[in-house]
Amino acid sequence: MTHKAMKVLAVFAAASAVAAGTAVTANSAPQHGGHGGGREIRNVIYLLGDGMGRTHVTAGRERYYGAHGKLNMERLPYTGAVATYAVEKGSDQPSLVTDSASSATAWASGVKTYNAAIGVDSYEKKRVTLMEQAKAAGFATGNVSTAEVTDATPAAQFSHALLRGCQGPTYSDAACLPKNADGSYEKAPADKTLVTPIAEQIARNGTADVVLGGGLARFEPDDQKALQAQGYQVLGSFGDPKLPAQTADSQKVATKADLDKARGKKVVGLFNRGNLTVEQAKAGLPAGAPQKQEPTLAEMAKKSIDLLDGRSKKGFFLQVEGAQIDKRSHANDAAQTLAEVKAFDDAVKAATDFAKKDGHTLVIVTADHECAGFNIIEKGTYTNAEAVAPPANVDAGNPANNSKPSREKSGAKDPARSTGIVNGAGSGDAKNFGPATFRTPDDPKDVKDGSPEASLWLTYLSGNHTGADVPIFAYGPGADRFAASQINTELYGKMYGSLFGRSPRG
């Protein structure tokens, strides 16, 4: 199956499904938002910190504001919890630890699905997304991320794929087709959209009016041409159509200056060929470094709101992802993780500042899953290093995100497991790793990060996702609906009810 064949087979397939009125069933009771001529809710802004568990929030608060302070998200009046489990492929059997793809599909389409699935259920059936429904109903729409816009979380709102790795720019069976039990690839489905690279889908289905983030390397010049034919203002350049392959020299990333000048009704801005640069790494780069020209998540959130507000009489639906919380948690890099929590929280402030002035905007803040078993431990204690080789603290998509590993490799597991405050021989044992330590506003002024005197001691359980519930915070009309313990599929039904004033049809 060739790359160009995929393009021919897939154009506007997802959009046609929406136009036909495709609906899905969500695990939620009917919701009522006071809709009608003077409806209470006009806009929904859904923000998620990828990989952000309850401890990420607590540690971020203590790091930047102290024990008595609060993050912006914690100032929102309604709080709850969200269960995040996925299901096994081809069944409804729970899979207790989700990935970003299945979790994003849960709130975007209201169905549980298998890990790695984008916009399809566990039986590989395409499911319409909330953003597609909002767009078809006349709402303005936006999708913002600090990851590649083809990555799992943003992709689940405006594309459909059997595997999250089917991002582009070229098609391959390995990236786009699941494997059978014998190791062979499944047959290509009848719906060719499901094996069309996500970048191609984004560039052709028009689901999001505003698309901001990373991932320029996933796109090609004909994708830019397709976007411009639909009326999009494309910031930067997707490359030279005369070249067989696009490189950093042929493509031009968008910049914050480009974003500031953007005035189009539809705008696409890709600010890095891979993921955007984490804030801590960006701050340490020289003034002329190209990564310095990337906007922050808060700046992208604010600009997207400015572009979407007033575009439609219906209102707008905007998703905003702080992706690097997860990516730096995978790397067990506490310093970068905390800085990304703060950067995400700044975007929450941008959204709630608008909502407070507008009066008709619902703001929801949550996460797709917890990552790495992030923990705050007692000052002066140590944790046993279970992994012989801890997770590599590298980001192949963007080397600027790489920093010194926060834990050393251990030669073997420590057999002397202690139930006391110190495992084994404590800091003197090479098989134990000392936590990353950080000063807080409550510490004396002479206390420094990385010192034993710092009060915030952080460590990780693993380098992977966990099955822990995640927090949810909400503000604005209808926010009280989210003050509950709920399953992530219920978020779809509640947001649908907020936008449309009724529950989704089964």
Side-chain angles (χ1 to χ4, degrees), residues 30-196:
Q31 306 295 331
H32 304 284
H35 289 215
R39 62 190 177 90
E40 186 181 13
I41 302 172
R42 297 196 186 102
N43 314 308
V44 172
I45 304 176
Y46 182 74
L47 303 104
L48 63 132
D50 198 306
M52 185 184 72
R54 179 65 248 187
T55 297
H56 289 78
V57 175
T58 304
R61 174 217 310 150
E62 293 174 345
R63 164 64 163 164
Y64 296 104
Y65 299 105
H68 299 291
K70 287 185 178 181
L71 293 173
N72 293 298
M73 67 184 87
E74 294 180 295
R75 297 181 183 277
L76 305 189
Y78 294 98
T79 63
V82 182
T84 65
Y85 67 90
V87 295
E88 299 293 343
K89 192 170 184 294
S91 76
D92 297 321
Q93 176 66 32
S95 177
L96 298 182
V97 179
T98 188
D99 78 340
S100 295
S102 55
S103 186
T105 298
W107 73 68
S109 295
V111 294
K112 289 289 185 182
T113 192
Y114 58 93
N115 286 333
I118 297 287
V120 298
D121 63 22
S122 68
Y123 301 95
E124 300 185 349
K125 180 181 178 182
K126 180 165 55 177
R127 294 291 189 157
V128 69
T129 76
L130 182 60
M131 191 168 289
E132 289 171 338
Q133 291 173 313
K135 178 66 175 177
F139 287 87
T141 52
N143 207 340
V144 176
S145 178
T146 54
E148 297 175 273
V149 297
T150 54
D151 202 3
T153 301
Q157 284 287 9
F158 53 13
S159 66
H160 305 268
L162 299 181
L163 291 179
R164 60 182 289 177
C166 192
Q167 298 183 47
T170 57
Y171 170 88
S172 74
D173 287 350
C176 301
L177 284 175
K179 287 186 175 181
N180 297 307
D182 63 3
S184 63
Y185 292 110
E186 293 182 2
K187 292 182 180 180
D191 184 350
K192 302 307 179 185
T193 306
L194 305 184
V195 286
T196 298

Side-chain angles (χ1 to χ4, degrees), residues 228-424:
Q228 290 172 329
Q230 299 169 71
Y232 283 88
Q233 178 183 1
V234 177
L235 310 182
S237 170
F238 287 11
D240 184 349
K242 298 178 182 179
L243 297 176
Q246 303 307 314
T247 67
D249 292 331
S250 62
Q251 294 185 317
K252 181 183 177 183
V253 296
T255 66
K256 181 183 180 300
D258 295 331
L259 183 62
D260 290 341
K261 296 175 185 176
R263 296 291 183 271
K265 291 185 177 180
K266 297 182 178 182
V267 176
V268 175
L270 304 179
F271 305 97
N272 195 297
R273 298 191 79 238
N275 301 317
L276 298 194
T277 309
V278 295
E279 290 302 317
Q280 187 184 67
K282 186 163 62 176
L285 293 171
Q291 294 93 340
K292 288 280 193 181
Q293 304 305 312
E294 297 175 14
T296 65
L297 183 61
E299 290 165 344
M300 290 194 293
K302 186 177 186 306
K303 184 65 176 186
S304 60
I305 292 169
D306 291 343
L307 291 169
L308 294 171
D309 183 33
R311 271 213 48 221
S312 167
K313 292 181 180 179
K314 288 287 190 71
F316 68 80
F317 173 52
L318 171 64
Q319 178 172 293
V320 179
E321 180 198 21
Q324 306 285 26
I325 299 170
D326 177 70
K327 297 182 188 303
R328 306 326 297 159
S329 293
H330 277 298
N332 283 188
D333 188 321
Q336 290 185 342
T337 298
L338 290 173
E340 291 305 305
V341 170
K342 175 66 165 59
F344 173 70
D345 195 56
D346 290 343
V348 172
K349 183 178 187 304
T352 51
D353 283 350
F354 169 79
K356 289 174 182 176
K357 293 178 182 178
D358 176 72
H360 297 280
T361 297
L362 169 63
V363 176
I364 305 153
V365 182
T366 188
D368 49 357
H369 52 71
E370 198 276 343
C371 185
F374 201 33
N375 279 287
I376 301 169
I377 66 173
E378 186 177 357
K379 183 177 178 179
T381 66
Y382 296 84
T383 305
N384 183 267
E386 282 292 314
V388 172
N393 188 17
V394 296
D395 181 350
N398 183 356
N401 290 346
N402 301 338
S403 66
K404 184 178 179 180
S406 54
R407 51 189 269 200
E408 298 179 357
K409 291 184 179 180
S410 57
K413 294 182 180 180
D414 184 358
R417 301 304 299 271
S418 169
T419 56
I421 62 170
V422 175
N423 285 337

